[in-house]
Amino acid sequence: MSCFTSEDEAQLQSMLRQLLQSVKEKITGAPSVECAEEILLHLEETDENFHNQGEVSGYDMLVQHVTKKTRESKEYREMMHALKNVMMVVVESLINKFEEDQMHNKELDIKPKKERRSGYYTDNCSDSDSSFNRSYTFLSQEQLQLLVERLDPIQPMEVRQEALQTLCFAPPSDILNSETWPDLRKHLTTSLSDPDTAFSEKILRFYAKAFSSSPFNMTRDVYTSLARHLELYFLSGEYSLRISAGLDVSNPHIDRLLKKVRLLNEYQKEAPSSWIRHPEKYMEEVVDSTFSLLSVNHEPNHPASPDFLSPVYFLALLDIKAVWFKKWMHAYYSRAVVLRLLEKKYKSLINAAVQQCLDYFESCKAGVNKNSSVSDFSHQHCSDEQNFSYAGQELQYVYFVHSLCLLGRLLVYKQGQNLFPVELKNKKDRVSVTDLLVLFTQLIYYSPSYPKTALAGHTDSYSPTSLVMEILQVFCDQTGCAAECLYTDAVIDALLHPVQSVLSGTEVYLNCLETTLIDVADILARIAAVDDGLSFFLHGENEKTAKEDGPTAVHVIVQFTKKLLHDDISLLSGSELLPVVKGAFIFVCRQMYRTCEGLQMLIPYGLHESMGEAWKKMSLLSERVPTPVTGVDSISSISLESKNSLLWEETLLDALLNFSATPKGLFLLHSTGAMNDCVNFMFSSLSKKLQANEYEEFGNKVIITQMATTPSGAVALQSSGFIKALVTELWALLECGKDDLRITQPQSTPIDPIDQSCQKSFLSLINLLTYPAVFELLSKQDTPNKPVYSFREVPTDIIDIIDRLIILNSEAKIHSLFSYEQSHIFGLRFLNVLCCELNTLLLLESQYKVSQVLLTAQEENVIETSEGPGDFIIDGLSVERNHVLVRINLIGGPRERILPLRVLDKGSNSYPWPMFSSLPLPKCYLAETPRKGEFRQDKDLDKLLSLLKSPEKQSGWAEICRKQFYKVMKARPDIISGTILAELIEKFVSHLSESQLDCYFSTGNDKAMDADVKNESLSSVQQLGVEMTVRYGKYLNLLKEHAENGLCFVLMNCKNILKQEQRTVVSSLCCLQEHYPGYDWFASSIFLIMSGDGEKTLMFLKQFSRLLVSAFLWLPRLHISMHLPATTVESGIHPVYFCSTHYIEMLLKAKLPLVFAAFQRSGFTPSQICLQWITQCFWNYMDWREICHYIATCILLGPDYQIYMCISVFKHLQQDILKHTEAQDLQVFLKEEPLHGFRVSDYLEYMESLEAIYRPMLLEDMRSIRVQNA
């Protein structure tokens, strides 16, 4: 637009008037002029009609006119001239400043280093220079090509320096990614050897900058360039350093060399974090160039070859523990490449490392044999921080440490082990993995050591012993590798060498015997803690061909531990570290005797007796420690002595306590007399929360469960305060909640019958209250039944729990509960589990009439109508009570009784199960009576019966009968029932009882004392048991009317017959009184098998009592029996527990490890549930036919079949056990649920396979119960 005409001006004025009219209202409404201006400025934003008005169309015309007028004005020209002058001054100033900086840098580069550095890689490091943080100069391809030409070594130094300076200011990624990089790389690699140190150091800085700011695919070239330069330098004639001459790191040439190696090492440690994102060939280039550099050495024929200071020494100085190699071996991606290259091209690196370790070991061994200090340079060097020169021996030691760490990491992996054996020049035999581990192990006691006061932490971390310990500890943790490497006789013999030397009394050439023994014990304990390691200790490298020429590892360890406990080692007498050595070896033994298999091996040594004696001696000494008196100088020494004594006493108690992790171990612990003190110690430790370790927590749960399975253990738990603490904690969770939460928020209503917060306490109570514990804690104890209960009255005992949570038979008890329904449901669930153990059920029923209490509660829980009581109210409590009532009043296996569910269904008929408030039970809870199968002739059965009836018994008769029985059971198990079964076991037992060889127990007076029997009556528990048995027998159609009299006759005669063989025992235990504490379930089972014939039953039991199998099937048989040693009787522990269930746990771990691990994880024990099954002859767990088969199998095939039977049950339940372990209710499942689908005949073949392996050991131990030594 050339000009602004009058028409245009008129049009613009018109637009402005239109604009002002349209905004008149807005402007006049503005409170001030500033507001009016603001409105006009933002008009386009606020006025939706703005763009519809005519003034916008003239906007371009107006703007262009104003702009042109402004640019042509005088003022604008003057402003531009002044601005140009100012900019020229600023630009000139920046250029001058840039040139000054360049000159300053050149002066710094050529300035001589006049000051002594404080370290060889502190301030002036190539990879930490701050100049790289300055601005970048971006270069074009032409400029880069020019730089390459200028950096050619043939160019003058000034040209090259200027080009390098420009290069350092360019982004490294641009340079590395350019087409000119290959040529530039050659020039830089060559220039690294430039005599101008400042120039070569600038290249190093460029490399460092590239490493820190560029991706791996670019920096690999930089790394390989630097590695190649170093390799050429070490191979050149210019390099002439020798090991014998030492190394002065303060020398500028050495300093520069170390900087280059350090730059490589830093990259080695950083690269693994990124190389997985790039092709494998890139990584292979880096690894290959590294190994190529480290393999540099003189030719073997070169005169200076052995003394050549190779690159690996420099790398070892900078990374002594080979951290770079550890990182390279960590991931499979890089490990595969490293191992492949080592195997194909660079095996010499491994050979050199092994040779270095061998050389160091030989020097150590020579020094020890001469009884002189060897290689103390490592200590001296590390203690002098200002010394920067390394002697030849020190360089060798640094390389040895690097080699040791490298080999230790290499052997962790199977592929690394495959690189062995290696051949060495000066050694005839090849060096295998085992040879290397033996060497490592020997370094523990042959390498030099220093007094504890002289060893700083830094020094000790580089001592051979600590390095070897680190390596061996890693091996122990890596179970797969340890199985291949450590579990060899040679390695264990090397570990045990110091121990055997001390035992044999030979002269010991070792550095610091005590610390060596402590280190050896640490490795031994780690090996024994793993199943494979323990198995190796017990059986040697090859179990079948175990070495006979020398003692096993177990023998050496236990013998040495016993000598330590008896203070029978003169070399260690008076040593301050002696208690630590004792504790270390006790811990090794503890790892073994905590398991059933390990304990079996240790029993002959009587280690528990030695520990018990040491504990008694220590406890007597601790009682004699004088009381400190104020003002006496000896207070501190007495206090220290008493602390050490207390520590040693606690070590012994902890060791003794761990015997109770197994049934037989608990039996041995009782014989030491330390059980109460051990339980007190355990409870004290738990109270202080000293053992927060998860493994220890599971271990303690197992120990508590084992103890609760025995009378003496339950009493010890009670007296220690453990039960009180458990009950108090339960009450706090159930009724009180946490104090700090109650004030701020109300307690949430639990969704589950037992709230999650109470589940742990619930399971702990179930673990605790086995029948032996219940009998000791509740026998002849009445419930308090107070008229009033305070809200603050907290239960402290099991009887209080029963009184407050189960037998709620008064308003006072109900009103004393804050959470009545939740707490009572807890009590009913608890009662339900307790009553699964039939002896406990009979005790509770006889003492507290629980069945009647629940029936009364059901009777009161009805809807009141005008016509009288109506229907039962269906709620959580009535449903729980109904389930418990059916369970406790009905006997039967999985297909013989129907238990009502404890959940409500959806729909109108939410609870289809009929409730009741009086006995007998509704018939819907009884399954249909099992029909007797039609008897059909069977040739195998006929042959078996003819064998049994034959008056002439040929040799091997019993074995022939067993095989025939096995055959019938496999083919037609249903036939073996009823009268056939009765005849079968009767004839077989009759024959065995007549054979002197087959009788285990001596025969007593067979006369039945009818007169005494008539005058005696059964206890209330026995009477309830008789009623229960007769009810079950009638349901099975085995008994007729008035069968109670026949059963009472049998039980009373059995009691009197067995009474003749009982010994008098003085004990505080309730179970050791005159009568057997429970009901005789085995005699009742035989009574049912004999179809209620009392005379036949009694005759069978008399004959049966002479056989070994009676000790394990018929538990009352050995109640306070004179056939058992007095110590066994006084313990109150039955042989079924310390023999049968002990081997059940042992076989379970060997054959069903997942099931065994599930028990360990849950804190429950197989021994507890098996003792319950065996005590009540599997009543309520199996159907009657299977119970008969269990009894017949054990009688005909042998008592060890009781153990195989339980293992078969666990095999059958394996999946359920794993599932309920995950759900954290394993105990509840095993106690409440019957064995659905289990048939004895289905597992006979499996049991036979177990017999083939374990029978000799099991029968030997079963036969030893008469002389069981405590």
Side-chain angles (χ1 to χ4, degrees), residues 765-809:
L765 277 175
I766 291 171
N767 290 353
L768 182 70
L769 292 179
T770 60
Y771 180 67
V774 168
F775 190 77
E776 294 300 322
L777 301 177
L778 297 180
S779 180
K780 298 179 182 176
Q781 278 203 52
D782 295 327
T783 52
N785 277 326
K786 299 179 183 177
V788 178
Y789 289 85
S790 165
F791 284 120
R792 296 184 178 276
E793 195 172 338
V794 176
T796 57
D797 208 345
I798 301 301
I799 191 69
D800 295 333
I801 291 292
I802 292 172
D803 184 48
R804 302 287 298 276
L805 297 181
I806 297 174
I807 305 178
L808 295 180
N809 53 2

Side-chain angles (χ1 to χ4, degrees), residues 125-139 164-176 201-215 218-219 222 226 263 267:
C125 292
S126 58
D127 57 350
S128 60
D129 193 273
S130 61
S131 66
F132 295 127
N133 296 324
R134 296 180 183 175
S135 303
Y136 285 137
T137 302
F138 294 95
L139 303 174
L164 184 59
Q165 188 68 32
T166 307
L167 185 71
C168 287
F169 278 100
S173 55
D174 284 4
I175 294 168
L176 299 179
E201 194 152 311
K202 272 195 177 181
I203 299 174
L204 269 189
R205 292 182 183 181
F206 171 74
Y207 278 17
K209 183 179 175 185
F211 285 154
S212 62
S213 61
S214 302
M218 296 180 184
T219 54
V222 181
L226 182 55
L263 193 56
Y267 184 78

Side-chain angles (χ1 to χ4, degrees), residues 275-290:
W275 60 23
I276 196 170
R277 296 192 291 271
H278 300 278
E280 188 179 292
K281 65 176 184 178
Y282 293 172
M283 176 183 61
E284 190 165 343
E285 287 177 24
V286 171
V287 176
D288 188 78
S289 62
T290 304

Side-chain angles (χ1 to χ4, degrees), residues 678-745:
C678 286
V679 175
N680 287 334
F681 167 73
M682 178 181 66
F683 177 58
S684 173
S685 300
L686 290 172
S687 302
K688 295 171 186 173
K689 305 282 185 194
L690 293 180
Q691 288 137 339
N693 184 306
E694 188 178 24
Y695 174 79
E696 288 288 344
E697 185 183 349
F698 289 137
N700 283 326
K701 285 181 180 177
V702 167
I703 286 172
I704 291 165
T705 307
Q706 293 285 20
M707 288 200 163
T709 315
T710 64
S712 50
V715 171
L717 288 169
Q718 169 88 337
S719 59
S720 71
F722 176 80
I723 293 177
K724 180 181 178 180
L726 179 62
V727 171
T728 306
E729 182 185 9
L730 166 65
W731 194 261
L733 293 168
L734 199 59
E735 278 292 302
C736 305
K738 293 183 179 179
D739 289 337
D740 54 345
L741 285 179
R742 274 192 302 158
I743 301 166
T744 56
Q745 62 187 65

Side-chain angles (χ1 to χ4, degrees), residues 654-672:
D654 192 38
L656 285 166
L657 175 68
N658 278 273
F659 271 101
S660 56
T662 63
K664 188 167 284 187
L666 180 56
F667 174 68
L668 296 176
L669 172 62
H670 183 274
S671 68
T672 65

Side-chain angles (χ1 to χ4, degrees), residues 783-787 789 802-817 820 824 847-850 852-857 860 881:
T783 52
N785 277 326
K786 299 179 183 177
Y789 289 85
I802 292 172
D803 184 48
R804 302 287 298 276
L805 297 181
I806 297 174
I807 305 178
L808 295 180
N809 53 2
S810 69
E811 291 292 323
K813 293 181 183 179
I814 293 171
H815 293 318
S816 71
L817 299 174
Y820 162 64
H824 192 25
Q847 288 190 186
Y848 309 121
K849 308 290 186 291
V850 288
Q852 189 55 52
V853 170
L854 297 180
L855 287 169
T856 304
E860 294 171 353
R881 281 194 291 261

Side-chain angles (χ1 to χ4, degrees), residues 812-828:
K813 293 181 183 179
I814 293 171
H815 293 318
S816 71
L817 299 174
F818 287 109
S819 311
Y820 162 64
E821 187 169 343
Q822 180 193 352
S823 298
H824 192 25
I825 285 177
F826 181 96
L828 292 171

